[in-house]
Amino acid sequence: MFQISGGLLKDSGYQRMSLLSAKIGGVGEPVADPQESGRQRRRRARPPRESDLPISPEIERVFDLIPEAGEGYRWYDYPYRFLSWLLSGWRRRLFPNSVRTWLNDRLNDLLQFNEHERHKVMGRDSVLENLLVPPDEHVRVGGLWVVELFPPTELPALERAMKRNGWSKPRAVPPHESDNLATLERSRSQWGSRWWRLADVLPPKSNRFYSFHAHKMRLPESFDMVEIRAVQIGQGLTAAVAYFTPTDEARKSLDAVWHAAHEPMIVWENGRLIPLDRKYAAIRRIQAQRRMLRTEARDWLAGKLPGSFAANNEQQLVLELLLLDEFDPTTVVFAEGNERDVRFARANQMDVYRAVGIDIHDFEEIKAKSLPGLILSQPDRRGRDILADDPTWTLWGNTATVAAGFERERELFGGTVAAVGHKVDNFYELLPMLAIVEYLGNADARYARLRDRASTRHGKFRGRALRDLRRSFLTLSLNITSIHRDVNEFWQSHGPVVISDFRIHESRQRKTWRRARGDRKSKPVRLDESIRKRLDRQITRLTEADSDYRDILSTVASLGASADAFKVGRWALWVAIASLAVATVTTLVADVGCSSVLQHLLIWNDPATCGP
């Protein structure tokens, strides 16, 4: 996927790259001056700097090595000088404003290549331009849980997928005697189970004994098993929770890219070129690697079990387990020492873990007593990282701390990851509720698009607009109404019983700030209660929006139908007039006797008659 080059040197706890490069030859050859490495030829001497503002020696060195755009003999210097000549003096008046804007944009694109050249010669030991990952720190991907939802409009797709994949056959082991289709029907009629195993999937060549009812079918190369569980929420909503177990190689793939040496890169984003230094190029590649596993799992589930997210080209919700070797979020100790050094060390530490999608200095910590040593982090939609638009919750912690907390379970289930996976399976209703929050957020966005485009879609009422309107009523309105009833029924049926023991605590950093300001201590909040309140707000807003939008569009449809009827009547009148004209002309030219009617009218006073 990515081409990674360069050797690594372990020095003072961080990855470093040597700036010294020996000349090819025998022993004792002179070593190149690191200050001159990468120097490029200039067309003319660099003028002295006029500003008295202080500049770091590193920046001064880089600008001395790399000439400004147009001042060298690189490939982009020639078009840069030509465009600069066109846009200067009397020549710029030869072009209209739109052409000048386009030429100026191309000039800016060439400047990005010049910035890219400077990133290449930046020092490799600075925390400002490099991602310095501690050599003893490693990350492992434990597993992924992917959630798909099946509201009423997607039930036929669920039944077809179960038949196509062979997952509707009777189970081999009691007490699940009936097939999955019968279990699904009973559950949606409120007489069946709240959850049941839908399928266990292994690769075709797997020799692993898992269960009597495991299915053999092709899996992505990164996974060696998938366990799919069906969870019923109310009567009209079924969720499929698929647990993907990565292979040993896939578990270490993120760590390999995390520790690799990354070089600067240029990316094309939103119609413009953006040069990235080593740090941000590394963050981009590492996050792309972490997202790759999720994409493989999502694509496989969308192909085998397509639901509401897949039908709307939206990403399914994912819970991912990450384990670290060194950093422990439950015992965070802030660095001490020189203020400047501490600030840089903390900034580098944040960037190191930000690269794998973890915010170690978040204001909140979501913890559960049943999952000791682990922190649940919700998706961070801020910023422009690759993972910013990814609906993924992360369960993460220190490997040794988690292993100590699951000492008895590790022996029972055969490892720390398996023990954690068993505990997460006990929260089988938590993940569907988080997926419903994501689904309602996407529905809110779809309503916003319908609202914002209503004037253009229904300005001229057409049959296609009517079909779109009918489809939106059938899917959005029906699903939102059903989910509203099912969610209320879900919480009422549980009563005081919790679906998880997660609680939202303030982070240690925020507690320190509160104590410094003398603020009152805040109490932990149950995650279940937070989800319930958020769902109430989302459903109330969507229900009101659905009612208002349906009334408006119904009025628009009625007015559009009236306008179409008026247009049809007007066209019918013109057609009648045209038909009358054609009939009149036909009658006038009709042959009656020896001449037409028109000829008789023209010679009506002529006494002559036709014939002998």
Side-chain angles (χ1 to χ4, degrees):
M1 176 178 292
F2 303 111
Q3 292 184 353
I4 305 166
S5 60
L8 299 178
L9 296 177
K10 295 184 179 180
D11 182 20
S12 67
Y14 291 100
Q15 291 185 11
R16 299 184 185 273
M17 298 290 292
S18 176
L19 282 173
L20 302 178
S21 55
K23 289 185 177 180
I24 299 176
V27 178
E29 294 275 349
V31 177
D33 185 358
Q35 299 296 325
E36 295 295 320
S37 177
R39 178 176 295 279
Q40 297 179 355
R41 193 158 55 100
R42 291 179 174 272
R43 295 177 60 238
R44 50 194 171 191
R46 185 185 180 198
R49 188 165 60 89
E50 298 179 357
S51 175
D52 295 332
L53 295 176
I55 296 180
S56 68
E58 176 67 10
I59 298 299
E60 186 70 32
R61 179 187 72 86
V62 169
F63 273 81
D64 180 58
L65 292 176
I66 306 300
E68 293 76 5
E71 294 299 321
Y73 295 94
R74 297 150 301 194
W75 68 267
Y76 58 83
D77 286 318
Y78 302 101
Y80 184 88
R81 287 196 290 267
F82 177 70
L83 292 177
S84 299
W85 177 78
L86 286 179
L87 292 173
S88 62
W90 57 268
R91 292 168 295 275
R92 66 188 309 271
R93 292 194 295 269
L94 299 175
F95 306 103
N97 185 57
S98 59
V99 175
R100 288 199 301 270
T101 301
W102 186 86
L103 292 176
N104 192 67
D105 290 342
R106 303 292 75 73
L107 207 63
N108 289 332
D109 288 340
L110 295 175
L111 285 174
Q112 308 314 312
F113 291 99
N114 185 246
E115 184 71 14
H116 179 59
E117 295 281 351
R118 293 195 176 94
H119 288 160
K120 290 181 178 180
V121 298
M122 283 284 188
R124 299 177 183 269
D125 57 352
S126 171
V127 297
L128 295 178
E129 293 87 18
N130 300 272
L131 191 70
L132 307 180
V133 182
D136 297 332
E137 178 67 290
H138 297 281
V139 62
R140 298 290 185 272
V141 180
L144 294 90
W145 289 262
V146 185
V147 186
E148 182 60 275
L149 297 179
F150 296 89
T153 57
E154 300 301 330
L155 177 61
L158 174 59
E159 294 174 339
R160 287 194 302 269
M162 292 168 62
K163 293 177 181 178
R164 183 178 64 249
N165 297 323
W167 298 345
S168 61
K169 297 178 180 179
R171 305 290 292 261
V173 181
H176 303 284
E177 305 90 0
S178 61
D179 58 28
N180 278 321
L181 286 175
T183 305
L184 174 65
E185 183 178 356
R186 288 199 306 271
S187 296
R188 293 183 73 94
S189 62
Q190 209 175 9
W191 294 103
S193 305
R194 282 188 173 179
W195 71 270
W196 69 97
R197 281 192 177 274
L198 192 60
D200 300 322
V201 182
L202 299 174
K205 297 182 180 180
S206 175
N207 296 323
R208 180 177 184 174
F209 174 79
Y210 184 72
S211 65
F212 292 105
H213 49 267
H215 298 268
K216 295 290 188 73
M217 59 178 56
R218 180 175 298 178
L219 290 177
E221 294 183 358
S222 301
F223 305 104
D224 58 12
M225 187 176 64
V226 180
E227 303 171 70
I228 306 176
R229 173 182 301 194
V231 181
Q232 188 64 38
I233 306 295
Q235 290 184 337
L237 182 62
T238 305
V241 181
Y243 174 45
F244 289 79
T245 303
T247 62
D248 291 338
E249 184 178 355
R251 293 181 193 274
K252 302 175 183 178
S253 60
L254 178 61
D255 185 71
V257 181
W258 197 29
H259 281 273
H262 299 278
E263 291 300 318
M265 62 186 298
I266 294 182
V267 297
W268 180 264
E269 191 173 286
N270 297 326
R272 47 187 295 234
L273 290 171
I274 302 177
L276 303 177
D277 59 14
R278 291 188 183 90
K279 172 187 286 187
Y280 289 100
I283 291 176
R284 189 179 185 90
R285 287 166 175 151
I286 294 166
Q287 291 189 353
Q289 176 64 28
R290 184 184 174 190
R291 190 168 188 171
M292 185 185 69
L293 281 179
R294 307 178 193 174
T295 302
E296 290 182 357
R298 284 176 172 137
D299 291 346
W300 185 88
L301 188 63
K304 296 296 181 182
L305 209 60
S308 180
F309 289 111
N312 293 285
N313 294 321
E314 296 164 346
Q315 299 182 93
Q316 304 98 322
L317 180 124
V318 171
L319 173 66
E320 189 170 10
L321 174 63
L322 294 182
L323 296 177
L324 303 168
D325 283 1
E326 293 295 326
F327 187 83
D328 188 350
T330 60
T331 58
V332 178
V333 179
F334 298 107
E336 298 180 359
N338 180 272
E339 181 180 355
R340 180 178 180 275
D341 294 340
V342 169
R343 187 171 68 252
F344 283 140
R346 185 175 299 177
N348 178 70
Q349 188 185 42
M350 292 182 65
D351 288 333
V352 164
Y353 295 102
R354 168 192 171 189
V356 293
I358 295 175
D359 186 359
I360 62 173
H361 293 302
D362 200 356
F363 290 150
E364 296 178 342
E365 292 178 350
I366 306 177
K367 298 182 289 186
K369 291 183 178 179
S370 59
L371 293 171
L374 290 168
I375 299 292
L376 181 64
S377 297
Q378 55 187 323
D380 186 1
R381 302 301 175 88
R382 302 166 296 178
R384 296 177 58 190
D385 288 352
I386 291 179
L387 301 179
D389 63 340
D390 196 322
T392 297
W393 290 68
T394 305
L395 191 63
W396 63 287
N398 180 268
T399 304
T401 303
V402 174
F406 286 85
E407 184 175 359
R408 188 180 64 178
E409 290 84 353
R410 283 191 299 119
E411 298 178 359
L412 182 61
F413 295 101
T416 302
V417 173
V420 173
H422 175 73
K423 285 290 186 180
V424 174
D425 283 344
N426 293 336
F427 302 143
Y428 61 89
E429 291 172 321
L430 173 63
L431 295 182
M433 299 310 290
L434 294 177
I436 294 173
V437 171
E438 188 67 28
Y439 173 84
L440 294 178
N442 295 336
D444 200 0
R446 291 199 294 273
Y447 270 119
R449 289 194 295 269
L450 288 172
R451 178 199 63 216
D452 295 339
R453 299 176 183 177
S455 59
T456 56
R457 291 179 60 190
H458 306 289
K460 294 183 179 180
F461 198 81
R462 298 176 180 174
R464 182 177 180 181
L466 180 61
R467 289 192 298 271
D468 292 342
L469 181 62
R470 185 175 63 241
R471 185 164 53 249
S472 66
F473 283 165
L474 181 62
T475 56
L476 282 174
S477 300
L478 178 61
N479 290 341
I480 294 301
T481 303
S482 176
I483 289 176
H484 186 189
R485 184 185 64 251
D486 294 332
V487 169
N488 288 337
E489 180 183 334
F490 173 82
W491 292 115
Q492 291 173 5
S493 64
H494 279 70
V497 180
V498 297
I499 60 176
S500 74
D501 62 339
F502 280 104
R503 293 182 180 271
I504 305 175
H505 303 261
E506 281 190 333
S507 65
R508 298 194 178 195
Q509 182 180 6
R510 193 173 181 88
K511 288 180 181 178
T512 303
W513 291 348
R514 278 187 176 274
R515 285 195 297 266
R517 294 196 306 262
D519 295 342
R520 296 175 56 185
K521 182 179 179 180
S522 63
K523 296 181 179 179
V525 179
R526 283 175 46 193
L527 178 62
D528 297 356
E529 189 63 26
S530 176
I531 294 173
R532 182 172 186 172
K533 291 180 179 179
R534 185 171 179 180
L535 285 173
D536 288 342
R537 291 194 301 268
Q538 287 180 307
I539 292 175
T540 300
R541 184 173 62 252
L542 285 171
T543 303
E544 294 174 353
D546 178 69
S547 177
D548 296 341
Y549 192 58
R550 185 169 57 247
D551 291 342
I552 293 173
L553 289 186
S554 296
T555 304
V556 171
S558 177
L559 293 176
S562 300
D564 283 354
F566 174 75
K567 292 177 182 178
V568 170
R570 189 168 56 182
W571 277 105
L573 179 62
W574 283 109
V575 170
I577 293 174
S579 300
L580 178 61
V582 172
T584 302
V585 173
T586 302
T587 302
L588 291 175
V589 300
D591 187 8
V592 290
C594 60
S595 62
S596 65
V597 175
L598 180 61
Q599 186 177 359
H600 275 289
L601 292 176
L602 293 177
I603 60 173
W604 65 273
N605 58 349
D606 189 353
T609 58
C610 38

